[in-house]
Amino acid sequence: TWSGKVLVTGDVTVTELGSLTIQPGTQVIFDPLHDSESGGSDRSRCELIVAGGLLSVNGTTAAPVLFQSAGLTKQPGDWQGLRVVEGDVVLKNFVVEHATVGLSLEDSDTRFQSYEFANGTVQKCSGSGVKQTASGDRVQPVTLSGFKILSNGGRGVYAGGPMELVDSQVNLNTGGGAHGDTGRELRLTA
């Protein structure tokens, strides 16, 4: 369980049977352009990886959980981002900023996974704000509810699989707003 201010200097991986709970108001700050583990998808940037376990982030409106760069001058791409490779995720009332890709959904079989994504802000990333790379019969639809995806260097949302945006804002993203691959379902619901 994390609370207060947490400095991450290398990749953090939540493995099978493991869990990480992050309390409301916690500031998780990532050492910019550094990864003491030299692993993950980018050997030079820290990332938080869910690889079979449970990530539970339950911020509140008054005390969201903040994921951002520890740099004095924060820049888009200072750290890699949150990656869901496999496992269960609850992300509620949180902010991700200054990552490469804010939230990357990579699990190719989500039939037995539980996802809850609500009231998130993903902003000022060098690439996409939210990127879903998995598709196929084994990938269940992902719902992002009450999201603000703002001022990212790539697409705001890239849906390579089924996704629904509910009561969400996707604005000022350099690579465009929301994009779904041909043949993939991207639903926008007000």
Side-chain angles (χ1 to χ4, degrees):
T1 299
W2 288 355
S3 62
K5 194 171 202 174
V6 178
L7 173 63
V8 177
T9 60
D11 296 338
V12 174
T13 304
V14 183
T15 58
E16 189 175 346
L17 303 179
S19 68
L20 174 59
T21 299
I22 303 178
Q23 298 292 335
T26 301
Q27 296 177 357
V28 183
I29 56 175
F30 294 83
D31 199 11
L33 302 175
H34 177 250
D35 179 358
S36 64
E37 300 295 316
S38 296
S41 67
D42 187 325
R43 300 173 63 85
S44 64
R45 289 179 173 87
C46 298
E47 52 198 287
L48 177 55
I49 307 164
V50 180
L54 167 65
L55 173 63
S56 181
V57 175
N58 284 298
T60 64
T61 303
V65 172
L66 178 62
F67 299 93
Q68 73 171 187
S69 168
L72 295 176
T73 305
K74 296 168 181 21
Q75 298 293 321
D78 273 355
W79 63 289
Q80 185 60 25
L82 306 178
R83 293 181 53 219
V84 181
V85 178
E86 182 182 5
D88 300 316
V89 179
V90 175
L91 279 172
K92 296 190 297 190
N93 296 298
F94 66 98
V95 176
V96 174
E97 53 190 19
H98 304 112
T100 300
V101 174
L103 176 60
S104 182
L105 306 172
E106 305 170 21
D107 193 345
S108 61
D109 188 351
T110 60
R111 294 173 298 164
F112 309 106
Q113 309 304 330
S114 173
Y115 289 167
E116 185 177 356
F117 300 114
N119 305 319
T121 298
V122 182
Q123 61 189 7
K124 302 174 187 169
C125 297
S126 62
S128 295
V130 177
K131 184 175 185 179
Q132 181 186 28
T133 59
S135 63
D137 295 341
R138 296 174 179 223
V139 177
Q140 301 300 308
V142 173
T143 300
L144 307 178
S145 179
F147 266 57
K148 294 178 183 175
I149 303 170
L150 312 167
S151 302
N152 296 291
R155 291 185 172 110
V157 176
Y158 169 77
M163 182 180 288
E164 182 174 13
L165 295 172
V166 178
D167 295 327
S168 296
Q169 295 177 327
V170 182
N171 295 332
L172 305 172
N173 298 284
T174 304
H179 173 82
D181 274 353
T182 303
R184 305 288 179 242
E185 182 178 6
L186 174 60
R187 295 178 52 198
L188 307 173
T189 307

